[in-house]
Amino acid sequence: MSKKDARLKWEELSPDDQMKYEIAEELGLLEKVRENGWKSLSAKETGRIGGLMTKKKRERRDSLS
């Protein structure tokens, strides 16, 4: 698969997947994910992404209330 084929189609991602990629970028993990996939992340890294996703979802929900 060429780099061009591997590019993300941002508009085709679900809002949760978009958030996951954004958080991975914030944590400096995006390049690792792009090169080796999500399975290359450690449990600690994956947990950090999941925790931050939960936090952001909670903040969004609370701001809508």
Side-chain angles (χ1 to χ4, degrees), residues 22-38:
E22 288 169 359
I23 292 170
E25 184 175 26
E26 290 171 14
L27 297 175
L29 299 171
L30 186 57
E31 200 56 41
K32 183 176 181 180
V33 170
R34 283 185 176 159
E35 290 176 7
N36 303 309
W38 290 104

Side-chain angles (χ1 to χ4, degrees), residues 5-16:
D5 294 333
R7 284 194 194 136
L8 292 174
K9 293 188 174 141
W10 190 256
E11 61 280 351
E12 293 179 7
L13 293 175
S14 70
D16 282 350

